[in-house]
Amino acid sequence: MKGQTGQCQCGRVTYQLNADAIMLYVCHCMGCQKQSSSAFAMSLRMNRDFDSTLKFWETLTDSGKPKVCAFCGHCGNRIFHGEGHYSATINIKPGTLNDTSWLNPKAHIWTSRAQSWVALNQDLPSCEDQPEDMARFMMNR
Ligand SMILES: [Zn+2]
Ligand SMILES: [Zn+2]
């Protein structure tokens, strides 16, 4: 996945993954449903290495933790969010990648908020809300 490129909907913000991702999971929380304006969102966790002209706004996660959200100032497309402005890791919104064919989520979280029609892959680990320990969802395990 290293070297993969992505961009916002309008194309003014572009990025490249400079390392392999730490994990990829699907989140069904209300924040992700609002953010994606859909049923769920994916998060591709990466170490932070970001230098850009993104805009930021702050909110709280469903579990009440602060979340700093980075988006294109023109089209409003969310590119990533993280726990703080200087958090060590960020969650890239992988729908903004130019090639999404390789994405293969390893877990579902906040399944208690999943829309009733969503069929979860029973082979994947899942959590009804925010897992205490996300490490078990890491890639290459
Ligand atoms: Zn844009
Ligand atoms: Zn979520």
Side-chain angles (χ1 to χ4, degrees):
M1 63 198 79
K2 185 177 174 183
Q4 292 282 333
T5 56
Q7 65 179 47
C8 67
Q9 273 187 293
C10 77
R12 284 173 170 81
V13 172
T14 62
Y15 65 88
Q16 182 170 20
L17 304 185
N18 291 326
D20 287 339
I22 299 167
M23 64 180 81
L24 173 64
Y25 58 91
V26 176
C27 183
H28 301 266
C29 80
M30 299 314 293
C32 284
Q33 292 190 35
K34 287 283 188 193
Q35 182 272 318
S36 65
S37 53
S38 186
F40 52 78
M42 287 189 291
S43 281
L44 184 68
R45 186 159 297 179
M46 305 282 302
N47 286 315
R48 190 189 183 101
D49 178 17
F50 226 91
D51 174 23
S52 74
T53 55
L54 292 165
K55 301 265 189 212
F56 294 90
W57 73 285
E58 296 178 33
T59 184
L60 295 175
T61 67
D62 276 22
S63 47
K65 291 186 178 151
K67 180 159 75 173
V68 176
C69 310
F71 62 98
C72 170
H74 185 75
C75 71
N77 206 185
R78 175 90 54 94
I79 303 299
F80 72 85
H81 51 237
E83 285 185 8
H85 281 286
Y86 304 104
S87 58
T89 60
I90 55 173
N91 290 333
I92 300 262
K93 305 320 292 179
T96 59
L97 286 162
N98 294 322
D99 175 10
T100 56
S101 65
W102 57 276
L103 295 172
N104 185 17
K106 299 298 186 200
H108 290 271
I109 68 171
W110 283 102
T111 57
S112 62
R113 309 265 168 97
Q115 293 183 19
S116 61
W117 61 270
V118 172
L120 300 176
N121 182 338
Q122 299 301 323
D123 294 336
L124 292 180
S126 66
C127 187
E128 286 190 353
D129 51 20
Q130 185 69 36
E132 288 286 321
D133 176 20
M134 291 292 288
R136 65 193 168 110
F137 300 145
M138 283 170 63
M139 306 283 220
N140 308 318
R141 281 202 175 185

